[in-house]
Amino acid sequence: MTTLLPTYADVEAAARRLEGVAHRTPVMRSRTLDRLTRATLFFKCEHFQRAGSFKFRGAYNALATLPEAKRRRGVLTYSSGNHAQALALAGRLLGVRVTVVMPQNAPEVKRAATAGYGAEIVLYDPEQITREELGRRLAAERGLTIIPPYDHPQIVAGQGTAARELLEEVKSLDVLLVPCGGGGLLSGSALSARALAPRCRVIGVEPERADDATRSFRTGRLHRVHNPDTIADGARTPSLGEVTFPLVRQYVDDMVTVSETAILQAMYVLWERLKLVVEPTGALPLAALLENRVAVKGRQVGLILSGGNVDLRRAATLFAELNQPPELPPSV
């Protein structure tokens, strides 16, 4: 069966469902980083979203559009954390039972928050079985509907509302930088940009160590990774999906990758200079600018900070290992 790809009309419908439920997150500025990059930067702060990331938008939209009979039986997902939390919260709000398949090495802060929202957590060893395989087996045994983290039309439509809000507020962007794991946020953002700012270049950013989407984008053939060793745990997804891959290929202008050092430096800058507690995956767009992976001089640039569900003790350890914090111009 062929899956229908979402359009901007689906993003608009998702925005109506999310009105009054999801937060309209703020857009922040930094004169210091404007001076450093010689551009005008607009940070869309999705770490202030409910459940701590943009994922709430898609999760709520997917559950809200689910037929009542399926809602009564419950849903299942597999996630390292942010989608798990988001779906658990959406399930609590809509009265839907949620089961989450989660890797044993998922950040403790995300695991605890997921349980706190009332979801049942099923842990697994990524070296022994894939989350998709275990999820399909459990869903079949229990009669649950699978709501995947990114490869779902209503998930993509919901995620696209973040960029929609940014473009409604800023009006004109030349470049939009978006973190990329499985491509749900990137796909939805590209749908919004094409409708609201057709000249805006949409660029996905992922870690060098998890560059499957970049390789897929460049070759036109789906590439995969297996448990990549990156601090950006939200980008450890194995590949783009049946929904996100064609959308990325059609609507995204470019993909770039960044080093682990740049991710950590960007996270450090966001915490210290902007006072924004952003997780490593959310720091990917700024990392691309710190490593000069995108030409932005003289341009208006949007950066989606995708989430802030970070383990503070782990972050302290990472910052302690940062040998060379980035040099910034004086604050103004």
Side-chain angles (χ1 to χ4, degrees):
M1 183 176 67
T2 302
T3 302
L4 290 177
L5 298 181
T7 66
Y8 182 65
D10 296 302
V11 177
E12 290 184 309
R16 291 191 292 271
R17 294 185 194 100
L18 289 165
E19 188 172 357
V21 180
H23 296 322
R24 188 178 180 95
T25 54
V27 177
M28 306 292 284
R29 298 289 315 284
S30 169
R31 293 178 181 176
T32 298
L33 291 181
D34 284 358
R35 290 177 62 200
L36 178 69
T37 60
R38 299 181 181 181
T40 304
L41 308 185
F42 300 89
F43 297 91
K44 179 62 170 170
C45 296
E46 282 297 290
H47 56 298
F48 290 141
Q49 188 52 261
R50 298 185 72 168
S53 84
F54 74 96
K55 291 282 190 177
F56 177 75
R57 297 173 181 272
Y60 187 91
N61 189 53
L63 285 191
T65 54
L66 199 65
E68 183 59 35
K70 291 186 176 182
R71 283 203 217 179
R72 286 197 298 269
R73 287 196 294 270
V75 299
L76 177 144
T77 195
Y78 29 80
S79 168
S80 63
N82 279 345
H83 177 66
Q85 293 174 76
L87 195 68
L89 174 57
R92 191 176 75 179
L93 294 173
L94 292 168
V96 179
R97 180 167 49 89
V98 175
T99 300
V100 179
V101 173
M102 187 176 287
Q104 294 173 347
N105 62 351
E108 180 57 35
V109 64
K110 297 182 180 182
R111 181 172 160 183
T114 302
Y117 288 130
E120 176 191 355
I121 297 175
V122 177
L123 296 176
Y124 75 101
D125 182 351
E127 298 300 325
Q128 300 297 321
I129 190 172
T130 68
R131 63 186 192 173
E132 291 84 0
E133 181 182 353
L134 179 56
R136 285 192 296 268
R137 190 175 75 197
L138 286 174
E141 291 173 355
R142 302 182 182 187
L144 306 176
T145 298
I146 295 177
I147 305 293
Y150 55 87
D151 202 30
H152 186 291
Q154 296 301 339
I155 292 286
V156 170
Q159 317 306 29
T161 62
R164 180 179 186 269
E165 290 177 5
L166 173 60
L167 288 162
E168 284 178 342
E169 182 166 339
V170 177
K171 304 298 183 187
S172 176
L173 286 179
D174 301 305
V175 180
L176 178 62
L177 299 174
V178 186
C180 181
L185 178 62
L186 179 57
S187 299
S189 298
L191 287 174
S192 290
R194 289 295 156 261
L196 301 178
R199 296 182 181 178
C200 176
R201 283 178 53 79
V202 179
I203 301 175
V205 187
E206 64 179 349
E208 289 176 349
R209 295 181 180 179
D211 67 341
D212 57 289
T214 299
R215 287 183 285 131
S216 299
F217 176 81
R218 302 213 186 289
T219 65
R221 180 170 57 86
L222 192 64
H223 290 260
R224 301 181 68 87
V225 292
H226 178 66
N227 297 328
D229 181 22
T230 173
I231 60 173
D233 64 282
R236 290 179 189 153
T237 48
S239 70
L240 298 174
E242 292 182 7
V243 174
T244 60
F245 183 34
L247 289 173
V248 167
R249 286 278 293 168
Q250 182 174 357
Y251 295 110
V252 172
D253 294 287
D254 201 2
M255 295 286 304
V256 298
T257 62
V258 294
S259 69
E260 296 295 296
T261 298
I263 297 170
L264 186 54
Q265 287 181 330
M267 187 174 159
Y268 183 94
V269 169
L270 290 165
W271 283 45
E272 183 191 57
R273 192 55 64 97
L274 276 72
K275 318 307 178 189
L276 298 176
V277 179
V278 173
E279 62 187 274
T281 306
L284 285 169
L286 181 58
L289 298 187
L290 295 182
E291 282 199 320
N292 297 311
R293 298 300 173 93
V294 183
V296 296
K297 182 179 178 181
R299 298 181 177 181
Q300 297 218 126
V301 183
L303 301 88
I304 297 185
L305 307 181
S306 57
N309 293 315
V310 62
D311 185 324
L312 296 181
R313 287 171 293 187
R314 172 63 173 153
T317 300
L318 290 172
F319 288 149
E321 296 171 354
L322 186 60
N323 296 322
Q324 185 64 45
E327 293 185 10
L328 298 176
S331 299
V332 291

